[in-house]
Amino acid sequence: MGRDTNPRKSLGSLHGRIKEARVLMVGAGGIGCELLKNLVLTGFGEIHIVDLDTIDLSNLNRQFLFGMQHIKKSKAMVAKETAGKFNPNVKLEAHHANIKDHNFNVKWFKTFDVVFNALDNLDARRHVNKMCLAADVPLIESGTTGFNGQVQVIKQRTTECYDCTHKPIPKSFPVCTIRSTPSQPIHCIVWAKSYLFVEIFGTSEESSPEVDPSENDENAGEIANLKREAEELKNIREKMASPDFAATIFGKVFAADIDRLRSMEDMWKSRKLPKALDYAQISEEAEKIDNSVAKNDQKVWTLAENYVVFADSLQRLAKRMLELKASVKDGEAAPILAFDKDDEDTLDFVAASANLRSLIFGIDSKSKFDIKQMAGNIIPAIATTNAITAGLCVLQAFKVLREDYKTARMVFLSRSADRAFSSEKLSPPNPNCEVCSVTRITIEADVSRATIGDLVDKVLREQLGYGEELSLLTKELLYDADYDDNKDTPLSEIGFGEETFVTIVDDDEEEPRINLVIVVTNTALPADGEPITVPEKFEIPRKLKAIPAGNGGGTNGLANGLKRSHEDLILAAGGEGANGNGNEPEQKKRKVDVIVENRDVNVKRAKVFEEKKDDDIIVLDDDGFITID
Amino acid sequence: MAASTPSGAPSSKEKKYDRQLRLWGANGQNKLESAHIALFNASAAGCEILKNLILPGVGQFTVIDDKLVEEADLGANFFLDEESLGKPRAERTAALLGELNPDVKGNYLVDSLSNTLSAKPELLNPRSTPFTHIVIISPVPTPLLLQIPIEIPVFLVNCVGLLFTLRISAPLHTIVEAHPESLVDLRLLNPWPELSALAAEKTKNLEVQQEMDGDEGMSDHEHGHVPYLVLLLKYLDDWKRRPEGDGTHPSSYKEMTAFRSFVQDKMRTHVPGGSEENYEEAVAAVLKHVRKAEVSEYAKTVLDHPACANVTSESTNFWIIAKAVKQFLESPEQGNGLLPLSGGIPDMKAESSGYVALQNVYKNKARHDAALVQKNVQSILSSIGREPSSISLEEIEIFCRHANFLRAISFRPFSAELSTDEFHKKVVKDAFESWDADSALINDYVAFRAFQEFITQNNGRAPGDTEGPLDEDTVEMQRLAKAYLSEVGCSLELAERTENIIGELVRYGGAELHNTASLAGGLVAQEIIKIITQQYVPGNNTILFDGISSKTGTYVL
Ligand SMILES: [Zn+2]
């Protein structure tokens, strides 16, 4: 009996494929630890782990590959070390790095059979989704929140991608709500974390995604005032070493600034007038209170207790800042402190400051425990949900290795045991998805010599047949018919690195092509030749005319779209602008089919969504029994 | 002010458990830390279950197993290493599991379930057992299973290949904090005087457009910030008094939609954007919140339970408070047919002062109701000879807040299921008559039932775990499955799904696959945590999992 007796017996021929498989796991956190253990013990041949994070005490209630002795060490490295001991036949490789680093390029992604996303943030998820689509590698995406979890299989041109459905963006608040007219605890917490803390200990130019600074006629005057206030605060920052630093800050933000606000009579016509805090009175009362009150994180602190925590944490932070400053050498950037929910000094400061502000505006104060959750966007997490989710990821990987996307599933976990989880069939790609419903090509360019002009003229117009009206975008607009300032600038000077994704939007009014994504790889090309390689000529499919919204805006899937010829597509779009062949009955019928087919898809999805909302129906699927040979 | 401490850090334990305290709070954590789990059979699934209880900080665990570590164990069980080969599994797994969390005490016993039952009966006697919960990984013959006293919660797990099942047997289980989606109960159709008064005051000049500062009426800003709750109360009142109305609240769907338009029409539309957010919130809340306050079926089950009527000095706090709540509900001077108010209100568009005033009216009423329940609790406590203050107001308040979501679950014992009693027969027959019977996991249950019978008849050997031909075991499993179906009174033909599952079970020969064991470890530990913390609603009483189609099914068997 060998160590792989059980897997061999249960998995049959799939076992061989698993042993050959080379997989990538992005993220070695809660799901990652479970997943890595499962992959290692299931016998996956080669596993690469990428994680930028280091280990924190609050990870240890679930991330079992780590112990107390590993705190502050690299998650990827420690995970590899711990898990590796359990199966000498598996090859493990760890990268303590950001998955967005340029060396993790499309070519590198292509070397894997399956990629697992075990991430905790939208940005990295989207990035890996994009890379897997470009590399045409199947991705198993997963996530958990408390008792809820989700596993999704993503395969280019076969299933929905991560971005095919709308993902909610984090909430942001207007700057005046945060700085002048708060009405909820969260407004005061964002103020303490993204304004006050940053002005005193960070770089104030930092803009926070939680605050929307847009200026309009109504708030222009107030925004000017706020800028001046921030300037004054910055000056106080210079007095960090002074013994009355806390008193000065307090006097400014909890008294002087409030008095200034009170004087804006229009603002308070229908709002409750804020009331400045009385430093002398509060600090006297605070004499009797011990600093240890900060440890009581379940209690809602009194005014004086908040002051004690405010003054004490400010002193702790100032001390750290002064020490950092003393160790900085000439020419190095000035040190800063950043808010971290698990850094007690920063959390105490934000909790106390937020509560003091709430008291000024007559808003409910919160306990430090609650503020930690609100300020840190904390997501509850436990081992059990991660274990279930990781187990489901591996089951889906079995299907992916067999290229069986028909029985692969999207699985949802809920905390209710009556329906511990429900699964549904994978949906086809959303034809309007800007991430996956595109054509992709890769070209090589010497970015120090090649220009936007080379790209537009030599590649897009001459080779691919684009007309005058087109735009090039990366994160920003690089070029369009009315904006050609960059045309002669080398690509390297407008942000092109080792590998850059450029989206080409065809602005032709009649028959625009679907979006084209060019992956530009930096290559040293012979100095006497062209600075850019030109792809073979090929026809990029045209966009389908949108079916009116309400049907979900669906047209046919890209998978079909790419296979169809140009004429068919126009027809399928609903006959508008159809050319001479448009009356041919056979093709007309096809047009109808396409639309109906997609309506069905959308109707079915809408229903599934409704049912989930009501939370009482399991989506049942009728798949037959599959035996694994 | 006292001298500065280097850091106001909470204990490292709180920090370590921060992410889970947000799910079950300090109360749940205390219960978890008081639990002692026994695991019989240190298989991969068993160890994964323990792992998921040790990480969040269960009090103690004891591994009971009489086998020695073999090479095949290493391939499936993460908590065994090369050094463990040839040593007792109980000892090695307890040691490696123990490393997961220094706050948890680990013990082991090199022994089997059958020997423990016969040679160390005190370990499984409800009066002397150190264990609060028992996890058993099959194969365990039925007679042994039936010897475990029903007073101890037992979690029986079958984990074979890509399949697993969990069966929970436990004494009457009560839950206060079921964690429903929302505790909000607005009582819009049953307002109390203070709430009506506040609504009347806040809507005094609702229809009057203020032209100038200081004039009568409401400015657009004020009008757009009247909380939607107040708007609904006002318009419900107006609706009742319509000359064309019959003096009642809207109740039918048709009336509700008419009422919705009634509210919509009162919105000021000359304002920027052409609509008012608070009115939109009011319109959206009509179908959800305009309804009579009612006692849920779950709460009725609890309040009508014999344990509630027959409170004695042995009763738990749950039943004492439940009785006090029932008295509140029935007393014309107290609830008068309504449960204590939960007291929370949702977020809504409002000025903070207006919102706080409204919040206080709800909070005060909830506090008042809880105080009445507390009085009832005190007199019940006196009547059973307990100190009247021995149940804290805080505990009573939590109970009152959750009153409409209380649960009492009676888990059926193994004996009732395995003797195929009438209740069991009906459940299985009904499941076979459901529209999705072909793909339902009741077919898997039939195969697992045959599996249990096979194990019992073969002295603990799993089907397929043999050097001989597998066909014999398959034929025997099919015979047992048919015998079971005839006992239930169902068709003797085995469903295709059942035959397939039998095939899989025999092919795996009782072997665990790490990935399935890990998944089972997550799911089973999650149910154990629900039972230990008495929070959230656990599965009752059998959960089946099929890893081929990633499906689960739950049955009360
Ligand atoms: Zn997409």
Side-chain angles (χ1 to χ4, degrees):
Chain A
M1 294 266 283
R3 66 160 59 233
D4 62 356
T5 305
N6 293 353
R8 238 188 5 235
K9 203 156 34 166
S10 302
L11 298 174
S13 71
L14 181 61
H15 185 57
R17 253 178 264 189
I18 291 168
K19 270 164 82 171
E20 304 280 298
R22 188 178 139 98
V23 304
L24 167 63
M25 183 179 104
V26 191
I31 300 175
C33 280
E34 292 285 348
L35 189 54
L36 183 59
K37 167 181 67 80
N38 295 355
L39 293 173
V40 164
L41 285 177
T42 304
F44 279 78
E46 182 171 339
I47 307 164
H48 285 240
I49 310 153
V50 180
D51 197 315
L52 178 66
D53 231 2
T54 53
I55 295 154
D56 182 82
L57 180 57
S58 67
N59 300 147
L60 302 187
N61 77 329
R62 59 197 187 282
Q63 300 177 16
F64 60 90
L65 296 175
F66 315 140
M68 292 294 263
Q69 71 276 23
H70 298 128
I71 285 172
K72 300 251 185 284
K73 290 189 179 161
S74 153
K75 284 189 176 177
M77 299 295 183
V78 176
K80 174 199 156 164
E81 222 171 273
T82 315
K85 291 181 199 148
F86 288 87
N87 192 343
N89 306 325
V90 173
K91 192 175 165 215
L92 288 170
E93 193 115 12
H95 310 265
H96 180 207
N98 187 337
I99 191 63
K100 292 175 87 173
D101 287 353
H102 65 78
N103 46 325
F104 303 130
N105 53 19
V106 174
K107 208 169 128 198
W108 183 76
F109 271 87
K110 272 187 204 288
T111 63
F112 297 102
D113 296 301
V114 188
V115 175
F116 294 91
N117 254 358
L119 286 158
D120 61 358
N121 70 84
L122 195 70
D123 186 51
R125 282 195 163 103
R126 288 196 147 140
H127 176 81
V128 177
N129 176 56
K130 184 181 81 175
M131 297 304 280
C132 287
L133 291 168
D136 196 15
V137 175
L139 168 66
I140 297 174
E141 159 64 42
S142 59
T144 65
T145 311
F147 288 123
N148 299 319
Q150 190 175 325
V151 176
Q152 179 185 8
V153 176
I154 295 170
K155 165 80 174 155
Q156 131 131 314
R157 286 172 203 183
T158 308
T159 73
E160 270 184 347
C161 85
Y162 186 72
D163 274 320
C164 276
T165 54
H166 175 75
K167 298 287 179 299
I169 41 167
K171 196 172 164 60
S172 76
F173 304 98
V175 64
C176 286
T177 304
I178 298 304
R179 295 284 303 278
S180 308
T181 54
S183 60
Q184 293 170 21
I186 186 68
H187 300 154
C188 298
I189 294 167
V190 170
W191 173 85
K193 173 187 143 186
S194 304
Y195 167 69
L196 185 63
F197 183 87
V198 173
E199 290 297 340
I200 304 176
F201 299 108
T203 39
S204 61
E205 290 77 32
E206 274 171 40
S207 63
S208 158
E210 287 166 312
V211 182
D212 170 13
S214 37
E215 198 174 310
N216 52 42
D217 292 346
E218 265 179 66
N219 67 13
E222 180 59 7
I223 285 188
N225 281 326
L226 295 176
K227 280 187 182 140
R228 199 173 53 241
E229 274 183 4
E231 206 54 43
E232 289 163 13
L233 191 54
K234 215 172 289 167
N235 294 334
I236 299 178
R237 186 177 166 154
E238 302 307 316
K239 299 183 194 157
M240 204 170 280
S242 124
D244 52 2
F245 183 52
T248 316
I249 299 254
F250 188 97
K252 163 141 183 66
V253 300
F254 299 124
D257 290 352
I258 302 301
D259 284 333
R260 207 259 318 153
L261 276 178
R262 279 171 67 95
S263 69
M264 316 274 296
E265 283 173 21
D266 277 358
M267 211 180 261
W268 311 109
K269 263 189 196 152
S270 58
R271 292 187 176 99
K272 201 176 152 200
L273 198 60
K275 199 165 169 288
L277 298 177
D278 180 345
Y279 178 76
Q281 194 198 330
I282 297 168
S283 58
E284 192 193 316
E285 215 178 306
E287 296 280 342
K288 292 169 252 155
I289 299 166
D290 193 86
N291 286 342
S292 62
V293 66
K295 288 184 186 153
N296 194 342
D297 68 348
Q298 300 286 342
K299 180 177 188 263
V300 177
W301 298 327
T302 63
L303 174 58
E305 285 171 342
N306 274 305
Y307 171 76
V308 170
V309 179
F310 166 81
D312 179 45
S313 59
L314 186 64
Q315 196 186 340
R316 283 182 256 144
L317 290 164
K319 189 164 165 253
R320 277 166 63 174
M321 190 66 163
L322 293 169
E323 282 167 8
L324 281 174
K325 273 191 179 153
S327 66
V328 165
K329 296 184 190 73
D330 282 347
E332 283 180 0
I336 55 161
L337 295 175
F339 172 78
D340 175 349
K341 61 189 185 295
D342 293 314
D343 176 337
E344 218 60 38
D345 299 340
T346 65
L347 177 62
D348 284 347
F349 179 78
V350 165
S353 306
N355 279 336
L356 289 169
R357 188 166 171 87
S358 290
L359 290 161
I360 288 170
F361 286 89
I363 299 167
D364 272 1
S365 326
K366 292 270 166 191
S367 71
K368 177 169 139 188
F369 186 81
D370 288 342
I371 290 177
K372 181 174 181 183
Q373 179 146 349
M374 293 163 87
N377 301 324
I378 291 185
I379 295 167
I382 37 163
T384 52
T385 315
N386 290 332
I388 301 170
T389 303
L392 290 169
C393 286
V394 175
L395 289 175
Q396 295 309 315
F398 292 163
K399 313 254 179 186
V400 166
L401 286 179
R402 301 162 61 89
E403 293 177 50
D404 177 7
Y405 294 98
K406 279 209 178 66
T407 67
R409 286 288 176 274
M410 172 112 167
V411 191
F412 301 92
L413 271 73
S414 74
R415 65 178 184 220
S416 157
D418 290 346
R419 32 178 199 281
F421 36 87
S422 54
S423 60
E424 61 180 54
K425 290 196 169 115
L426 300 171
S427 303
N430 171 358
N432 295 324
C433 177
E434 290 183 4
V435 178
C436 69
S437 288
V438 298
T439 298
R440 263 191 207 85
I441 55 168
T442 301
I443 62 169
E444 293 176 340
D446 189 334
V447 297
S448 63
R449 289 194 292 136
T451 61
I452 286 288
D454 291 327
L455 205 54
V456 171
D457 294 332
K458 292 178 186 147
V459 177
L460 295 168
R461 295 214 172 107
E462 282 172 30
Q463 205 65 11
L464 301 178
Y466 278 80
E468 280 303 309
E469 300 287 330
L470 78 165
S471 340
L472 271 67
L473 307 108
T474 46
K475 277 192 181 112
E476 55 196 337
L477 179 69
L478 299 180
Y479 171 90
D480 71 16
D482 303 320
Y483 173 68
D484 59 0
D485 301 15
N486 290 327
K487 214 171 167 190
D488 300 320
T489 316
L491 296 177
S492 59
E493 286 174 31
I494 43 174
F496 280 58
E498 291 307 307
E499 185 172 86
T500 310
F501 285 63
V502 196
T503 303
I504 286 82
V505 181
D506 188 354
D507 299 323
D508 184 84
E509 280 180 17
E510 292 296 315
E511 298 179 353
R513 293 164 178 81
I514 67 169
N515 289 0
L516 169 68
V517 172
I518 304 183
V519 184
V520 181
T521 321
N522 184 25
T523 314
L525 295 169
D528 51 352
E530 290 285 353
I532 195 159
T533 60
V534 176
E536 295 284 300
K537 278 194 178 164
F538 76 100
E539 189 67 26
I540 298 169
R542 306 291 161 148
K543 270 183 195 160
L544 302 175
K545 297 270 160 74
I547 289 170
N551 294 335
T555 48
N556 68 327
L558 183 72
N560 299 330
L562 286 176
K563 285 183 210 127
R564 280 168 208 231
S565 70
H566 173 180
E567 287 80 9
D568 276 349
L569 282 166
I570 299 283
L571 259 171
E576 283 175 80
N579 54 23
N581 301 339
N583 295 325
E584 216 249 303
E586 154 83 60
Q587 279 172 319
K588 245 196 174 148
K589 183 164 174 287
R590 196 166 353 153
K591 162 189 103 185
V592 173
D593 281 347
V594 170
I595 296 166
V596 171
E597 179 186 297
N598 282 288
R599 271 191 189 146
D600 279 348
V601 167
N602 288 309
V603 168
K604 184 174 168 255
R605 289 191 57 70
K607 199 169 132 232
V608 167
F609 179 71
E610 277 299 317
E611 287 169 353
K612 281 219 176 57
K613 257 169 89 183
D614 284 337
D615 200 26
D616 58 2
I617 293 175
I618 310 175
V619 182
L620 290 158
D621 44 46
D622 55 350
D623 58 308
F625 203 87
I626 332 107
T627 38
I628 293 176
D629 54 12
Chain B
M1 209 166 86
S4 174
T5 53
S7 159
S11 75
S12 80
K13 207 164 101 180
E14 277 166 26
K15 236 180 141 171
K16 185 165 75 179
Y17 297 140
D18 181 273
R19 301 298 185 271
Q20 70 203 40
L21 288 171
R22 292 169 199 283
L23 289 171
W24 54 69
N27 188 18
Q29 187 66 24
N30 286 338
K31 287 187 171 145
L32 191 61
E33 288 175 20
S34 312
H36 183 168
I37 314 289
L39 167 67
F40 287 94
N41 189 357
S43 75
C47 291
E48 292 293 321
I49 294 167
L50 280 188
K51 174 196 98 208
N52 295 328
L53 295 170
I54 293 167
L55 287 167
V58 72
Q60 281 192 57
F61 69 92
T62 300
V63 182
I64 302 150
D65 188 297
D66 64 347
K67 297 199 182 65
L68 299 179
V69 178
E70 296 174 14
E71 185 87 24
D73 287 323
L74 303 190
N77 196 330
F78 191 72
F79 298 96
L80 288 172
D81 53 14
E82 295 276 348
E83 290 165 42
S84 307
L85 278 174
K87 295 182 183 148
R89 280 210 314 201
E91 179 196 335
R92 293 304 301 160
T93 53
L96 287 162
L97 283 163
E99 287 176 13
L100 289 172
N101 190 342
D103 298 335
V104 176
K105 187 169 185 296
N107 318 283
Y108 70 91
L109 202 60
V110 180
D111 210 341
S112 65
L113 175 60
S114 66
N115 199 55
T116 307
L117 280 163
S118 56
K120 304 184 184 85
E122 70 283 0
L123 284 182
L124 293 171
N125 181 319
R127 271 173 294 281
S128 55
T129 181
F131 311 131
T132 55
H133 301 78
I134 295 178
V135 178
I136 302 176
I137 312 296
S138 204
V140 177
T142 301
L144 282 182
L145 213 50
L146 298 183
Q147 278 182 57
I148 301 169
I150 55 170
E151 290 87 348
I152 310 176
V154 176
F155 301 81
L156 174 69
V157 178
N158 284 299
C159 182
V160 185
L162 291 163
L163 313 164
F164 75 80
T165 68
L166 163 66
R167 169 66 157 88
I168 304 175
S169 158
L172 184 60
H173 181 68
T174 56
I175 307 163
V176 177
E177 292 170 74
H179 295 269
E181 290 296 315
S182 160
L183 290 170
V184 167
D185 172 15
L186 299 178
R187 303 267 166 104
L188 292 174
L189 297 185
N190 314 71
W192 56 99
E194 290 81 2
L195 181 60
S196 302
L198 181 84
E201 186 211 318
K202 296 278 176 198
T203 54
K204 220 169 16 193
N205 289 314
L206 196 64
E207 283 94 358
V208 186
Q209 175 75 46
Q210 186 192 48
E211 300 299 339
M212 296 265 293
D213 277 5
D215 281 4
E216 272 285 283
M218 271 193 191
S219 70
D220 288 340
H221 181 90
E222 286 168 319
H223 195 265
H225 285 78
V226 178
Y228 81 75
L229 250 178
V230 169
L231 291 177
L232 286 177
L233 286 162
K234 147 94 176 150
Y235 292 127
L236 281 167
D237 212 40
D238 289 0
W239 172 270
K240 263 198 337 198
R241 293 173 202 221
R242 285 172 313 153
E244 72 274 27
D246 58 1
T248 62
H249 285 130
S251 56
S252 69
Y253 182 76
K254 204 176 147 208
E255 283 169 354
M256 294 288 257
T257 45
F259 175 66
R260 209 161 52 176
S261 317
F262 182 77
V263 176
Q264 175 94 46
D265 292 345
K266 307 290 189 297
M267 190 196 295
R268 287 188 187 173
T269 50
H270 62 263
V271 295
S275 74
E276 293 176 303
E277 208 180 314
N278 55 335
Y279 273 76
E280 280 165 10
E281 287 178 348
V283 167
V286 167
L287 290 179
K288 191 169 171 204
H289 289 303
V290 177
R291 61 171 142 199
K292 281 221 145 42
E294 276 174 347
V295 183
S296 73
E297 287 307 312
Y298 294 126
K300 274 185 199 151
T301 309
V302 170
L303 300 181
D304 295 341
H305 198 281
C308 186
N310 308 321
V311 163
T312 67
S313 57
E314 302 288 300
S315 297
T316 56
N317 288 1
F318 179 92
W319 291 114
I320 293 167
I321 311 175
K323 183 169 180 169
V325 166
K326 188 171 178 156
Q327 289 172 351
F328 175 94
L329 176 76
E330 287 169 353
S331 158
E333 286 80 40
Q334 298 187 354
N336 194 19
L338 294 176
L339 288 168
L341 185 73
S342 65
I345 59 171
D347 277 342
M348 61 192 78
K349 175 98 176 166
E351 282 300 336
S352 61
S353 57
Y355 184 78
V356 169
L358 192 58
Q359 213 176 22
N360 285 338
V361 169
Y362 276 85
K363 268 191 200 160
N364 289 341
K365 164 79 171 149
R367 226 173 269 147
H368 179 75
D369 285 358
L372 291 172
V373 173
Q374 186 187 27
K375 263 196 193 152
N376 300 347
V377 166
Q378 287 170 345
S379 71
I380 296 168
L381 286 170
S382 302
S383 74
I384 57 172
R386 271 181 64 180
E387 173 58 42
S389 60
S390 61
I391 297 180
S392 72
L393 178 60
E394 195 197 346
E395 187 174 350
I396 294 168
E397 281 179 338
I398 293 174
F399 197 99
C400 290
R401 209 176 307 141
H402 294 84
N404 215 12
F405 301 93
L406 301 171
R407 295 279 192 125
I409 302 176
S410 309
F411 287 96
R412 284 162 48 78
F414 291 119
S415 57
E417 174 192 349
L418 295 172
S419 64
T420 316
D421 67 1
E422 290 307 314
F423 180 95
H424 179 85
K425 282 180 193 166
K426 181 164 187 325
V427 171
V428 176
K429 273 192 209 151
D430 288 352
F432 273 118
E433 271 157 28
S434 76
W435 61 274
D436 64 339
D438 288 351
S439 62
L441 274 75
I442 192 69
N443 298 291
D444 303 33
Y445 175 73
V446 174
F448 272 102
R449 186 65 187 255
F451 184 77
Q452 180 64 31
E453 202 53 42
F454 187 100
I455 284 165
T456 304
Q457 293 182 6
N458 290 274
N459 203 18
R461 175 174 80 83
D465 185 10
T466 167
E467 297 301 313
L470 297 183
D471 293 355
E472 271 175 39
D473 285 359
T474 308
V475 170
E476 175 63 4
M477 283 283 284
Q478 289 176 345
R479 188 189 68 77
L480 291 168
K482 283 180 193 159
Y484 165 71
L485 285 177
S486 103
E487 207 182 333
V488 172
C490 288
S491 141
L492 290 188
E493 286 301 308
L494 290 187
E496 192 187 341
R497 193 174 164 98
T498 303
E499 287 205 9
N500 282 327
I501 294 280
I502 288 178
E504 297 291 290
L505 285 172
V506 173
R507 196 161 58 85
Y508 303 137
E512 286 183 357
L513 204 55
H514 178 78
N515 190 65
T516 314
S518 179
L519 220 161
L523 195 136
V524 175
Q526 188 142 306
E527 297 310 300
I528 297 177
I529 288 172
K530 289 177 188 171
I531 298 247
I532 293 177
T533 58
Q534 291 186 278
Q535 293 185 34
Y536 301 97
V537 183
N540 180 15
N541 56 29
T542 302
I543 300 174
L544 299 117
F545 171 81
D546 161 25
I548 298 152
S549 54
S550 291
K551 271 168 66 163
T552 56
T554 303
Y555 299 96
V556 184
L557 295 169

